[in-house]
Amino acid sequence: MVVLTACPVGLRGDLTRWLLEISPGVFVGHVSARVRDGLWARVLAMVRNGRAIMVYSAKNEQHLAFKTFQPDWKPVDCEGVELMKRPLGTDDATMLGTPQNGWSYASKYRAARKFGR
């Protein structure tokens, strides 16, 4: 699987020779390791200022591995398991924290019924 963001149209067209584009910039397919490495080299040569992520099958605990080029989220090794680390910005800090009390109408309704309001 290859995911492209802000990449030239020619690169997308080039990848459709070997992979299926199931959504804009999302390519899937089953190719050999040699073809996969060739595709990644092609992506790196043509990506320019865009971003690219490749996820493929591997013989490890997760049964997959990542290759990235200029990603927002970076792959990190956590005790032998590869995870994607999301950078924390000022806007993201509130999204990643616990929800505030009463973050949905259902919780407000439930609290009102519980306390007889």
Side-chain angles (χ1 to χ4, degrees), residues 31-44:
V31 295
S32 68
R34 181 177 179 194
V35 172
R36 179 188 69 227
D37 292 340
L39 287 175
W40 185 247
R42 217 168 189 45
V43 166
L44 294 179

Side-chain angles (χ1 to χ4, degrees), residues 39-78:
L39 287 175
W40 185 247
R42 217 168 189 45
V43 166
L44 294 179
M46 297 177 71
V47 74
R48 295 187 191 151
N49 295 329
R51 292 187 307 263
I53 299 173
M54 178 182 275
V55 182
Y56 56 94
S57 298
K59 292 185 178 181
N60 60 18
E61 190 133 340
Q62 291 176 292
H63 300 284
L64 57 90
F66 304 94
K67 290 184 181 187
T68 61
F69 179 76
Q70 296 182 352
D72 288 338
W73 295 22
K74 302 217 185 269
V76 294
D77 183 74
C78 182

Side-chain angles (χ1 to χ4, degrees), residues 83-99:
L83 303 172
M84 296 301 281
K85 181 179 179 182
R86 181 179 181 175
L88 275 178
T90 55
D91 296 335
D92 294 337
T94 56
M95 287 180 19
L96 294 177
T98 58

Side-chain angles (χ1 to χ4, degrees), residues 2-52:
V2 177
V3 179
L4 302 176
T5 307
C7 291
V9 176
L11 175 57
R12 289 177 55 187
D14 199 30
L15 287 179
T16 58
R17 294 179 185 174
W18 295 277
L19 304 171
L20 295 172
E21 188 171 15
I22 60 170
S23 185
V26 180
F27 299 85
V28 296
H30 183 76
V31 295
S32 68
R34 181 177 179 194
V35 172
R36 179 188 69 227
D37 292 340
L39 287 175
W40 185 247
R42 217 168 189 45
V43 166
L44 294 179
M46 297 177 71
V47 74
R48 295 187 191 151
N49 295 329
R51 292 187 307 263

